[in-house]
Amino acid sequence: MNNIELVRKKQHIDDLFKKIEVVSMDLKLHSEWAKYLCIVVSGFLENSVRILYSKYARDTSSPSVANFVEAKLKDFQNPKMQKILDLAGLFSQKWKEELNRDTEGEIKDAVDSIANNRNRIAHGGDVGITYIQIKEYYEKALEVVELIEKQCKCNQ
């Protein structure tokens, strides 16, 4: 990951995971932290997609087109993999196809689980997400961010 803004956001989340790993606490508290981390990871994924595509638009387009793209990206929320793929397809059908191929299976499932759990948590629903699961999902979400960043850099 090369985008300095994303590196800082990632470091913050990494620090949260480390703090929880070293703290001995009961299972209920760990479960509550896992829910919090799920929301944070969802927000990170959402913001990362916006940041990367906005930067791509600024770097490759006129200021008016970049402004339009950034304004439209403000509506991008609760990213499931299909929403990310659809957005990639608006930039390039090739990007969508590559991203779809590279995220099939575990990565897609992890991103969708983050979004589904985030929505249940936000609406007061019960979730069974654990610290270990959200950490694994986070690692898969990072792979998606890195794939998008690579596509945006390669196509400038």
Side-chain angles (χ1 to χ4, degrees):
M1 194 169 302
N2 296 318
N3 182 290
I4 192 73
E5 188 176 355
L6 295 183
V7 169
R8 274 190 238 129
K9 290 178 185 296
K10 178 188 177 298
Q11 186 60 52
H12 172 71
I13 296 171
D14 291 346
D15 289 346
L16 287 173
F17 274 103
K18 287 177 189 170
K19 286 176 184 173
I20 295 162
E21 283 177 358
V22 299
V23 175
S24 174
M25 59 177 104
D26 65 46
L27 292 177
K28 178 67 175 157
L29 198 49
H30 251 246
S31 174
E32 294 304 314
W33 268 105
K35 288 191 246 181
Y36 173 71
L37 286 167
C38 183
I39 292 168
V40 171
V41 168
S42 178
F44 171 76
L45 183 57
E46 183 177 299
N47 288 326
S48 296
V49 170
R50 282 189 195 130
I51 288 166
L52 291 171
Y53 287 133
S54 290
K55 182 173 180 351
Y56 176 78
R58 282 191 312 274
D59 291 348
T60 61
S61 306
S62 68
S64 59
V65 171
N67 288 339
F68 176 80
V69 169
E70 288 179 11
K72 286 299 186 181
L73 286 170
K74 287 180 182 177
D75 295 334
F76 183 76
Q77 296 178 341
N78 301 322
K80 288 190 175 186
M81 201 61 229
Q82 190 59 52
K83 283 179 81 171
I84 295 171
L85 291 171
D86 291 343
L87 183 58
L90 294 173
F91 286 90
S92 164
Q93 191 60 35
K94 180 181 174 192
W95 286 5
K96 179 180 181 176
E97 292 166 5
E98 288 172 351
L99 200 55
N100 186 43
R101 180 193 67 232
D102 294 342
T103 60
E104 283 183 303
E106 287 183 13
I107 295 174
K108 178 197 177 299
D109 293 344
V111 169
D112 290 349
S113 291
I114 291 167
N116 290 334
N117 281 298
R118 179 243 170 251
N119 289 334
R120 276 189 235 118
I121 294 163
H123 296 284
D126 290 330
V127 295
I129 194 162
T130 66
Y131 171 81
I132 299 297
Q133 284 174 317
I134 190 55
K135 186 163 184 168
E136 290 172 2
Y137 295 165
Y138 172 56
E139 290 167 5
K140 300 298 183 196
L142 288 173
E143 290 182 48
V144 173
V145 172
E146 289 169 0
L147 288 166
I148 293 170
E149 185 177 43
K150 183 179 173 186
Q151 285 180 326
C152 289
K153 284 184 182 280
C154 290
N155 291 287
Q156 289 184 10

